[in-house]
Each structure stands twice: as C-alpha cells, then as structure tokens.
Amino acid sequence: MAGDYNPASPACETAVVPSAYPATRPRRLRAAAFSRELSRETRLAAGQLIQPLFVAEGDLRGPITSMPGQVRRNLDELVAECRELAALGISAVAMFPVIPPALKNEFGSESLNPDGLIPRAIARVKEACPGLGVIVDIALDPYTSHGHDGILDEAGYVANDITLEALRKQAVVLARAGADVLAPSDMMDGRVGAIRSVLERDMRHNTMILSYAAKYASAFYGPFRDAVGTATALKGDKRTYQMDPANGDEALREVGLDIAEGADIVMVKPGMPYLDIIRRIKDEFGVPVAAYQVSGEYAMLKAAAQNGWLDEKKVVMESLLCFRRAGADMVLSYFSKQAAQWLKDA
C-alpha cells in the first residue's frame, strides 16, 4: 500500500538516526560561542542572588579579618550599600546583627526588643529601598551569652519547646518591623509551624518564611561566627539540633516537615559540599530552593584568589552557576555584589 513504511526500502535508510562517533560529535555544539550560548542549560542572573550583610554599631563596625572584603556596617553604611545592591539588580539582602556582649544573656532577650538593632535596620532599608527584599534570621544565637540558637535547660541541652516560644515572639517583632522574609535558622523541631501560626494570627499573611530546612552541623561556619561575635561565646557545639553531615535522607524528611508547616522557600546550608542535597530536594518537592554559600566557602575562595592560586572571577561565577545547575533557585553568597557587577559588565 502506498505510503507504508518498508524498512527494506532504500528510501528508509536515511531515517535511521546513528548514535555513534563520528556521526555523533558532542563537540559540534561547543565549537562556537553562539552555539554554546544557544544550548546553555543553566543561567545566572543578578536577580537570583541574595547578599548577606552584617549590621553593627559603634566600635563593633569595621572589617572582618577572616572574611576579606566583608565588613560590619552601621545603619547609614547599610543603607548606602543596599542602594548600590538594588541598582545592580540584587533581589534581596539577608541581615545579621552584631550584638554587644553587654546586651546578651542566657535567654537572648534582646532578640525581642522592638527598638533593637535589626528592627531599626529593617525600617531604614525598607524606607530607602522599598523594592529590595529584606530577609532576617529567626534565631537566638547572636543574642545569647552561650552562643546557642535556643534556651538551655539545667543540663545545658537546648530546650526545644521553650525556645519555640521565644522564636514566635521574635518573629512577630521582626515582621512588624517590616521584614519581607523570616528565615528560621535554629533547626528546632516545629519552629516553622509555630512561626506561621503566629504570623497568621497577627494578620501577616504575606510575610514569607525561608526555612533553613537542611542546615548541617558544619565546620564551614567559622568566619561567620567571627563576624557576629559568637565564636568565643559558643559553649560546646550544635550537633544536637543541626544535621549530621553524613545524612541525606534526613534532609528530605526535614524539608517535607517544613513545607507542611508553611515554609515558602527551603534552604540548604552550607552550599557547595551539599549540591547533592539541593538536587534531591528539588527533584522530590519542586518548591523554591535556596543555597547558602557560607562564610567558610567564601573565605577559601578568597584566600586562594589572593594567593594567586585561583582566578577569583572564574571560580566564583562557576560556583554560583553550579548552585543553579544543582537546582537552587536563589543563592545567598558574600560574592553576590561582585558577581552582579561582573554580570552587568559582561
């Protein structure tokens, strides 16, 4: 019958798609700049980057030795920096407080002060840059004299449910101050649900929760603790509440719980050593995923670049692109401002 497929017909020989070399040469698509651009699977834009910023007052402001190029800014400097970041197309900033030791106690009471450093910083930034997203941590460690993310019981164990009450109160204070996104970083069980419920009761329906859903008990946080002044204060470690670096399935359980409790975005921290976790979470849940390129990752790349061992621009842009390829929709990185400038200049 006319039109029937006949594999013996000479005309059908061309319908066979060969799959072996030399008919298939993957390098063809890599040979020219235009074809590399057309076939590029993953892209990086300034709008996908979040810049962490340290806020301090008085003598606590200034350079951070273990994080070359990063500084603790007072409120005026913070506002000026946020204006520059917004002009570069950065979508949001994450602000971390440097609290004077005199204001710290075992309960982290200063975290509930509506006139404290971070509430004032939120108000200043939102007034100056209303379109710039403001993300703030919900956790007690910058405010506690012992450096832990919660309140200790008599045995020195971080008491989960007592801590939840403090986190709920802190969340209301910071939401009322104008924060767009609350980021519970404490890893207490049930904290996302507790925060979401109190936000709903306070009519803060559009306040987003970016959960540190898979936050590992990592050695990569050292420079950050230097920056916020908790390195010397911390008693013991955080392994009873932050995740074991050996575990991957546990991360999926944690993420699933946080989504069910009302998290809008989930985050993996640290970033580069946990690209597999980012990919598993994205594949499993399909929700917005953030990656945090933490202080230790920044310090390593910065030190290698300063010693001439690596090309800073190339390794930074490669690392950020790899977060995106692994499944991260957004990246918190201390390189965000520089990367946005490089993207603009490209």
Side-chain angles (χ1 to χ4, degrees):
M1 187 176 191
D4 282 354
Y5 173 76
N6 179 2
S9 168
C12 290
E13 290 180 5
T14 58
V16 177
V17 179
S19 60
Y21 170 87
T24 299
R25 292 179 181 264
R27 287 184 58 191
R28 288 192 193 106
L29 286 173
R30 305 175 202 149
F34 83 88
S35 56
R36 292 194 297 270
E37 180 70 21
L38 289 172
S39 59
R40 185 161 293 133
E41 300 173 27
T42 306
R43 298 181 187 276
L44 178 69
Q48 297 158 338
L49 301 175
I50 298 167
Q51 178 71 52
L53 297 171
F54 298 102
V55 190
E57 292 183 302
D59 294 340
L60 294 177
R61 60 174 291 278
I64 302 166
T65 303
S66 57
M67 299 179 68
Q70 300 300 306
V71 298
R72 306 177 190 90
R73 293 177 171 84
N74 64 27
L75 294 181
D76 289 338
E77 294 164 337
L78 174 71
V79 168
E81 181 70 4
C82 286
R83 286 194 173 111
E84 291 184 20
L85 292 167
L88 286 170
I90 297 289
S91 290
V93 295
M95 300 192 303
F96 300 97
V98 184
I99 303 299
L103 293 180
K104 297 183 180 185
N105 63 27
E106 59 183 316
F107 304 107
S109 304
E110 180 63 16
S111 66
L112 309 183
N113 181 1
D115 297 316
L117 178 59
I118 288 298
R120 286 184 285 122
I122 294 168
R124 288 286 303 276
V125 171
K126 292 305 296 183
E127 180 183 14
C129 307
L132 184 68
V134 172
I135 303 168
V136 292
D137 264 19
I138 303 296
L140 302 184
D141 55 322
Y143 304 93
T144 56
S145 53
H146 46 69
H148 280 285
D149 296 53
I151 297 169
L152 305 183
D153 64 16
E154 293 180 357
Y157 183 79
V158 176
N160 194 94
D161 296 0
I162 296 173
T163 298
L164 289 186
E165 289 305 310
L167 298 178
R168 285 157 60 97
K169 294 175 182 177
Q170 184 187 24
V172 171
V173 167
L174 297 180
R176 288 177 178 175
D180 300 293
V181 184
L182 304 183
S185 64
D186 55 287
M187 288 300 287
M188 297 298 109
D189 294 336
R191 85 269 202 220
V192 172
I195 293 168
R196 177 57 70 200
S197 65
V198 76
L199 290 175
E200 289 295 314
R201 286 205 303 270
D202 205 51
M203 304 298 286
R204 305 281 167 180
H205 306 307
N206 289 331
T207 302
M208 290 168 273
I209 295 178
L210 188 166
S211 170
Y212 288 64
K215 182 178 181 180
Y216 286 85
S218 172
F220 284 92
Y221 303 147
F224 177 92
R225 291 173 183 165
D226 289 340
V228 297
T230 62
T232 56
L234 182 62
K235 296 176 174 63
D237 56 47
K238 301 189 177 187
R239 289 182 293 177
T240 66
Y241 46 101
Q242 294 179 357
M243 286 182 52
D244 187 334
N247 293 353
D249 293 344
E250 183 184 8
L252 299 186
R253 292 197 296 274
E254 288 279 6
V255 168
L257 289 168
D258 285 2
I259 294 170
E261 291 176 17
D264 302 287
I265 306 165
V266 295
M267 182 156 67
V268 177
K269 181 182 179 182
M272 192 67 74
Y274 297 87
L275 292 179
D276 60 317
I277 305 301
I278 295 170
R279 171 45 59 194
R280 290 183 66 184
I281 290 170
K282 192 64 176 179
D283 289 345
E284 179 74 15
F285 299 102
V287 298
V289 178
Y292 198 146
Q293 187 177 44
V294 299
S295 59
E297 298 174 72
Y298 172 87
M300 288 192 304
L301 294 180
K302 200 73 176 178
Q306 289 181 338
N307 278 284
W309 300 332
L310 293 174
D311 182 306
E312 182 174 356
K313 178 180 178 180
K314 289 181 179 178
V315 296
V316 167
M317 298 305 280
E318 181 180 340
S319 68
L320 295 174
L321 190 66
C322 288
F323 287 123
R324 294 276 297 122
R325 190 202 64 232
D329 300 283
M330 62 204 79
V331 184
L332 286 83
S333 172
Y334 300 96
F335 288 112
S336 289
K337 182 180 183 181
Q338 183 62 76
Q341 186 64 62
W342 284 328
L343 288 167
K344 185 178 180 180
D345 294 342

